[in-house]
Coordinates of all heavy atoms in Angstrom, one line a residue:
E213 N -19.7 16.4 18.0 CA -20.5 16.1 16.9 C -20.8 14.6 16.7 O -19.7 13.8 16.8 CB -19.8 16.7 15.7 CG -20.6 16.5 14.3 CD -19.8 17.0 13.2 OE1 -18.8 17.8 13.4 OE2 -20.2 16.7 12.0
F275 N 20.4 -2.7 13.6 CA 21.5 -3.4 14.1 C 21.5 -3.3 15.6 O 21.0 -2.4 16.2 CB 22.8 -2.7 13.6 CG 22.9 -2.5 12.1 CD1 22.8 -1.2 11.7 CD2 23.1 -3.5 11.3 CE1 22.8 -1.0 10.2 CE2 23.1 -3.4 9.9 CZ 23.1 -2.0 9.5
A294 N 25.5 -1.5 0.7 CA 25.5 -2.8 -0.1 C 24.1 -3.1 -0.6 O 24.0 -4.0 -1.4 CB 26.0 -4.0 0.7
G313 N 16.2 7.9 4.1 CA 17.5 7.9 4.5 C 17.8 8.1 6.0 O 18.9 8.2 6.4

Side-chain angles (χ1 to χ4, degrees):
E213 182 178 349
F275 310 109

